[in-house]
Amino acid sequence: MFIGRRLILYCFLFFLSIGALRSQVCDGKKVVLISDALCPEEKFILDFEDNFDGSALDSSKWKIIYGVARDIEHTNAQQWYSPKNIEVSNGTLKLITKRDTFINQCYDIWEKNALLHKCEDFFFSAGEIDSKEKFSHGKFEMSCKLPRAKGVGSSFWTYGAPPSNEIDIFEFENEYKLFGQYDENKLSKVQRMNSRTDLDNNGTIEDCPNSYTGIDYSKDFHVFTLIWTPQKLEWYVDGVLKRRSTLFYTMLGQIVECNGLQMGCEYILNRAFPMNAMSIIVDNIVQSKDKAPDKDTPFPNNFEIDYIKFYRLVP
């Protein structure tokens, strides 16, 4: 009994000692660890790199998406993805959005766990590339300059099986004030970061989004980085930490670094924490409805990328 009380007291005091690390906690469940965590040194080795120095996209590394987005979550987009919207020149990759017309285009899309066949007209085109290789724990990095255009969103993310195993390194879309009023002052400034998966295989996909307002990332190139280890996710911009999320949280909602996990203590399991290897995806979308482009949106416009790299975490 004395040992049990001492363990409970130790866990409680440990939780209080990291109160300064309080963070956002998304949907989770209580667990008790049956062992201490193993925390190897974080060492990264360059494993994948594309500096876009040629005159065409490297087909050994990337596949170009043709058609529409892959699932119902992207039905707020109204563009047709086309290879003609991918350009490699002067040392950068350009994903270009245009005013275009594609009449009666047919495609398959998943809605409510059913694969549907649809046909419709599209009046914009955009570009998306997916890496052929899948990547797991390590450091993902991109140097890029965003477009500044109402109704155009740019994303750098990872995606893979099981369904919706995903990390959004960044999503930049239109931003709105209260009551749905468009806020031009936040265009190209609000970085949305997210992780999502069905970690415990209960059939429910969990999201854990967060965002902040930064500088105008359309004025120059900036470096966006994600570090993904078995225990944590960290988002950086130009080397500055913007968000940290961990696999476990204390019962008070604080993040727990790997070396702080103790056998016998109770934690909250972050059910939005991704687990399996995923492809790197880079794309633009043209939004619809109240987020759609207007007559003043400049077309064509470029999402320009200097390089994409992946550093593998040494096991």
Side-chain angles (χ1 to χ4, degrees):
M1 177 67 74
F2 174 73
I3 295 176
R5 288 177 178 173
R6 184 170 60 184
L7 178 61
I8 293 172
L9 178 61
Y10 174 80
C11 291
F12 178 72
L13 291 176
F14 173 75
F15 291 166
L16 292 181
S17 70
I18 58 174
L21 298 177
R22 188 165 187 84
S23 181
Q24 177 191 27
V25 180
C26 295
D27 192 15
K29 67 177 182 180
K30 295 179 182 179
V31 295
V32 176
L33 299 191
I34 60 174
S35 66
D36 293 339
L38 297 176
C39 306
E41 176 188 2
E42 290 186 8
K43 182 180 180 181
F44 301 97
I45 296 178
L46 183 63
D47 192 55
F48 175 91
E49 180 178 18
D50 199 335
N51 293 297
F52 306 109
D53 291 328
S55 58
L57 192 69
D58 188 339
S59 60
S60 69
K61 297 178 180 179
W62 305 98
K63 59 181 178 181
I64 296 176
I65 300 303
Y66 181 81
V68 299
R70 58 180 54 77
D71 54 46
I72 190 173
E73 295 175 16
H74 295 78
T75 54
N76 67 327
Q78 57 176 334
Q79 78 284 327
W80 186 259
Y81 284 122
S82 172
K84 71 179 184 179
N85 295 68
I86 310 293
E87 178 185 313
V88 178
S89 62
N90 299 319
T92 64
L93 165 69
K94 290 89 171 172
L95 301 183
I96 308 167
T97 53
K98 304 176 181 179
R99 290 192 189 272
D100 258 333
T101 301
F102 294 85
I103 301 299
N104 198 32
Q105 298 297 313
C106 299
Y107 57 94
D108 296 326
I109 189 168
W110 284 97
E111 292 188 12
K112 297 180 180 178
N113 297 321
L115 185 62
L116 304 180
H117 186 72
K118 294 185 174 183
C119 298
E120 61 180 298
D121 299 338
F122 293 85
F123 299 99
F124 298 92
S125 63
E128 176 184 323
I129 60 171
D130 296 11
S131 67
K132 292 185 174 180
E133 184 179 352
K134 291 187 176 181
F135 305 93
S136 186
H137 300 130
K139 180 166 64 173
F140 300 79
E141 190 169 272
M142 172 193 285
S143 173
C144 66
K145 183 166 64 173
L146 299 173
R148 182 176 174 84
K150 181 181 184 294
V152 175
S154 304
S155 302
F156 174 34
W157 53 300
T158 66
Y159 186 87
S164 295
N165 192 52
E166 178 179 328
I167 306 172
D168 298 323
I169 302 171
F170 68 66
E171 289 181 331
F172 284 90
E173 298 181 353
N174 293 339
E175 291 301 323
Y176 286 78
K177 301 176 183 177
L178 294 176
F179 311 112
Q181 182 182 2
Y182 171 62
D183 189 353
E184 184 177 2
N185 292 326
K186 289 188 176 182
L187 191 59
S188 305
K189 293 181 179 180
V190 180
Q191 179 185 1
R192 182 178 184 271
M193 304 159 285
N194 190 26
S195 64
R196 64 195 317 265
T197 193
D198 180 10
L199 180 63
D200 52 5
N201 296 312
N202 68 347
T204 301
I205 296 170
E206 310 295 348
D207 278 275
C208 195
N210 206 338
S211 62
Y212 77 97
T213 300
I215 62 175
D216 185 349
Y217 293 108
S218 70
K219 292 185 177 298
D220 204 349
F221 284 87
H222 295 273
V223 177
F224 296 86
T225 305
L226 174 89
I227 292 178
W228 176 23
T229 75
Q231 299 288 346
K232 70 179 181 182
L233 293 165
E234 291 181 334
W235 287 259
Y236 294 83
V237 180
D238 296 328
V240 178
L241 179 65
K242 296 297 183 180
R243 182 189 179 190
R244 179 183 288 121
S245 176
T246 53
L247 178 61
F248 297 101
Y249 290 82
T250 72
M251 300 306 295
L252 299 178
Q254 294 100 351
I255 62 174
V256 183
E257 299 290 351
C258 179
N259 56 14
L261 295 170
Q262 304 293 325
M263 178 182 66
C265 288
E266 193 174 50
Y267 298 94
I268 299 174
L269 174 67
N270 178 2
R271 294 198 293 178
F273 196 92
M275 299 299 287
N276 296 339
M278 295 179 276
S279 297
I280 295 172
I281 301 176
V282 188
D283 67 356
N284 266 356
I285 64 169
V286 180
Q287 298 170 291
S288 62
K289 300 179 181 179
D290 61 333
K291 293 187 177 183
D294 57 26
K295 62 180 179 61
D296 297 322
T297 299
F299 285 102
N301 56 71
N302 296 337
F303 175 19
E304 191 170 6
I305 300 155
D306 184 28
Y307 66 77
I308 296 174
K309 298 179 183 181
F310 171 76
Y311 299 82
R312 175 172 47 87
L313 177 65
V314 179

